[in-house]
């Protein structure tokens, strides 16, 4: 029998217990050709995740980035119905960047609650208000052209708006968090967000930690350092790992080499040793949906239950507790070539997953101004203006993170459909 939202919330309030150490993957709203995913697409993902050969547990959870069906105004994402049919737990997401409200996200979620009732709400294990918004709004994020973000005050406002909208229903018992990069969580300027959430979601990719000795053999140490720093900043609140993984193909990133062998090693040294069945974990990823990213992270091809590498966990591991020598090695690097030599787009920060997960979210909804055009979804906005906005957004991909860029395109698409 599935845990009720009340039981789940109670368990998470005291930390990650054995019954709440969820295993899952991330799932965006669109396919690699940027077309919308529908119920059958999500259902195929969820069934494959639960049937992976050799998996060290049942991957029956999913992290979503938005509640809105791709290219619609405020219809519930069809992942909800697929999750109900496959009994898949959901960490829901509210898209919070490039907008001054989350009204459409709330509307879509209310429609889902009304339509599906407890069949839906009993599967909701958490709600993330935003994804890497604080990083993209930071000095480093703007310097690295990470894309549209949101300030701590904006995230706090959206958390209050969400809680007010669902104060009297079953979702009021669901823990509310925010997802961001590990280096953001350790910044004292966002303490107000930590105080406001029930859990912290952290995205961490040692592969992108250039200038820190990001060879695969050091990846476990780099992950531990980032994860432990996040836990220390969390003030006793649970930390969920919402994105991590190692690419099986793609350009070399400083000392980080993409290969199937290294993806397997990372799965073992980080997933098996540190996370699986210990910490709520959403691996990146079951399949790749970002056509602009040269790095590919999928653990399987064409949603086959036969993975690209052996998912069974070893009994011993190479990563040992840090010593002063390994700590020093993790903090310096003289490796070449630099990322700019590989032809890959540089991620927004050493702790950011913008280059990996961006564009996969397919978030849409909300309102705001993009390239001078309204993204509010108003029926008075001409479809041609929406199309121009989408084209401008895609044409500016190199200047924005993939998530921000594709979110803009989907907002414009929603306008055009009105």
């Amino acid at each position: 029998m599935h845990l009720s939202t009340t039981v789940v919330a109670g368990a998470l309030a005291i930390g990650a217990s054995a019954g709440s150490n969820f295993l899952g993957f991330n799932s965006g709203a669109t396919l690699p050709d940027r077309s919308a995913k529908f119920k059958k697409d999500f259902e195929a993902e969820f069934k494959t995740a639960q049937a992976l050969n050799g998996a060290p547990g049942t991957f029956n959870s999913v992290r979503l980035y938005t509640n809105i069906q791709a290219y619609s105004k405020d219809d519930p994402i069809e992942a909800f119905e697929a999750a109900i049919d496959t009994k898949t737990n959901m960490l829901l997401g509210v898209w919070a960047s490039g907008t001054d409200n989350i009204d459409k996200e709330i509307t879509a979620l209310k429609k889902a609650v009304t339509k599906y009732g407890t069949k839906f709400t009993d599967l909701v294990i958490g709600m993330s208000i935003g994804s890497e918004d604080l990083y993209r709004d930071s000095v480093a994020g703007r310097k690295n052209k990470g894309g549209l973000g949101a300030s701590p005050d904006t995230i706090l406002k959206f958390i209050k708006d969400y809680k007010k909208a669902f104060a009297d229903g079953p979702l009021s018992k669901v823990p509310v968090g925010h997802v961001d990069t590990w280096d953001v969580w350790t910044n004292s300027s966002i303490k107000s967000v930590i105080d406001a959430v029930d859990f912290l979601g952290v995205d961490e990719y040692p592969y992108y930690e250039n200038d820190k000795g990001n060879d695969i053999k050091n990846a476990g140490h780099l992950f531990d350092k980032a994860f432990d720093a996040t836990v220390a900043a969390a003030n006793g609140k649970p930390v969920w790992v919402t994105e991590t993984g190692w690419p099986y193909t793609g350009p070399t990133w400083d000392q980080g080499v993409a290969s199937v062998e290294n993806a397997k090693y990372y799965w073992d040294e980080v997933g098996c040793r540190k996370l699986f069945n210990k910490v709520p974990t959403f691996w990146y990823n079951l399949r790749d949906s970002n056509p602009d990213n040269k790095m590919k992270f999928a653990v399987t091809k064409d949603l086959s239950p036969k993975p690209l590498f052996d998912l069974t966990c070893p009994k011993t591991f190479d990563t040992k507790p840090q010593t002063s020598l390994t700590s020093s090695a993790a903090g310096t690097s003289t490796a070449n070539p630099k990322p700019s030599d590989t032809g890959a787009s540089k991620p927004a920060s050493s702790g950011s997953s913008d280059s990996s997960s961006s564009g996969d979210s397919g978030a849409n909804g909300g309102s705001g101004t993009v390239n001078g055009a309204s993204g509010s979804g108003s029926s008075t906005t001409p479809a041609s203006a929406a199309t121009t906005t989408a084209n401008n957004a895609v044409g500016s991909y190199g200047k924005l993170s993939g998530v921000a860029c594709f979110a803009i395109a989907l907002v414009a698409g929603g306008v055009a459909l009105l």
Side-chain angles (χ1 to χ4, degrees):
M1 179 180 295
H2 193 278
L3 294 174
S4 69
T5 52
T6 303
V7 173
V8 170
L12 292 175
I14 60 173
S17 66
S20 60
N21 287 326
F22 305 104
L23 288 174
F25 295 97
N26 292 264
S27 184
T30 56
L31 294 167
D33 62 0
R34 295 191 171 92
S35 63
K37 285 183 188 176
F38 294 100
K39 178 186 174 182
K40 64 180 178 61
D41 302 302
F42 290 110
E43 192 169 280
E45 288 184 12
F46 302 164
K47 286 181 176 179
T48 294
Q50 295 181 28
L52 286 170
N53 297 340
T58 303
F59 281 75
N60 61 350
S61 301
V62 65
R63 176 190 171 216
L64 303 173
Y65 294 82
T66 179
N67 299 295
I68 303 173
Q69 175 63 21
Y71 302 109
S72 76
K73 179 181 178 181
D74 54 20
D75 292 336
I77 191 168
E78 294 191 16
F80 294 164
E81 191 170 347
I84 292 170
D85 288 352
T86 58
K87 295 180 172 57
T88 297
N89 302 307
M90 291 172 283
L91 169 55
L92 302 185
V94 165
W95 189 251
S97 284
T99 180
D100 59 9
N101 68 76
I102 56 171
D103 294 349
K104 293 177 184 177
E105 292 277 355
I106 289 173
T107 297
L109 195 52
K110 284 186 173 181
K111 287 181 179 179
V113 172
T114 299
K115 183 176 182 180
Y116 303 116
T118 56
K119 291 189 299 182
F120 167 64
T121 57
D122 280 355
L123 289 169
V124 179
I125 58 175
M127 171 62 69
S128 173
I129 307 299
S131 178
E132 297 190 12
D133 314 89
L134 300 178
Y135 167 74
R136 292 192 296 274
D137 190 61
S138 69
V139 173
R142 291 191 292 271
K143 178 181 178 181
N144 291 317
K145 300 178 181 179
L148 299 173
S151 68
D153 286 344
T154 297
I155 297 300
L156 291 173
K157 175 183 180 297
F158 291 167
I159 289 173
K160 291 178 182 177
D161 291 344
Y162 166 80
K163 288 185 174 181
K164 180 179 179 181
F166 296 97
D168 299 324
L171 291 182
S172 65
K173 306 297 183 181
V174 171
V176 177
H178 171 73
V179 169
D180 231 297
T181 60
W182 74 269
D183 44 348
V184 164
W185 285 125
T186 58
N187 191 318
S188 60
S189 67
I190 56 89
K191 183 179 181 299
S192 58
V193 176
I194 294 177
D195 292 340
V197 298
D198 300 313
F199 70 94
L200 284 64
V202 63
D203 295 350
E204 164 57 5
Y205 292 84
Y207 169 79
Y208 289 122
E209 297 271 8
N210 53 285
D211 295 326
K212 294 185 180 180
N214 63 329
D215 179 87
I216 185 61
K217 296 296 182 180
N218 196 38
H221 290 305
L222 289 177
F223 182 89
D224 288 356
K225 182 179 179 181
F227 181 79
D228 293 346
T230 305
V231 170
N235 197 27
K237 295 186 177 182
V239 174
W240 297 17
V241 175
T242 40
E243 288 184 31
T244 195
W246 192 278
Y248 71 89
T249 187
T252 295
W253 194 277
D254 202 348
Q255 296 182 33
V257 177
S259 70
V260 173
E261 180 183 4
N262 286 351
K264 161 62 176 172
Y265 187 86
Y266 189 80
W267 176 274
D268 290 348
E269 293 295 315
V270 172
C272 294
R273 176 187 61 87
K274 185 80 171 181
L275 301 178
F276 300 151
N277 304 308
K278 302 180 183 74
V279 178
T281 301
F282 298 85
W283 200 260
Y284 197 86
N285 208 4
L286 182 67
R287 72 168 169 185
D288 294 291
S289 296
N290 180 5
D292 296 294
N293 191 18
K294 295 181 180 180
M295 297 80 165
K296 303 302 179 185
F297 288 77
V299 301
T300 184
K301 183 178 181 181
D302 299 326
L303 294 183
S304 168
K306 182 180 179 180
L308 295 176
F309 52 83
D310 184 5
L311 300 183
T312 58
C313 289
K315 296 185 182 300
T316 60
F317 304 99
D318 293 342
T319 304
K320 307 300 181 184
Q322 285 274 26
T323 65
S324 58
L325 178 62
T326 56
S327 295
S328 175
T332 60
S333 172
T334 57
N336 284 302
K338 291 295 183 183
S340 58
D341 298 327
T342 68
S345 57
K346 188 175 182 179
S349 81
S350 61
S352 172
S353 61
D354 281 354
S355 287
S356 60
S357 62
S358 301
D360 220 13
S361 71
N364 65 347
S367 65
T369 301
V370 180
N371 292 343
S374 172
S376 65
S378 169
S379 60
T380 60
T381 304
S384 59
T387 303
T388 300
T389 303
N391 290 338
N392 288 343
V394 174
S396 302
Y397 186 86
K399 298 181 180 179
L400 298 175
S401 72
V403 165
C405 173
F406 208 61
I408 293 168
L410 285 178
V411 170
V415 173
L417 291 173
L418 294 178

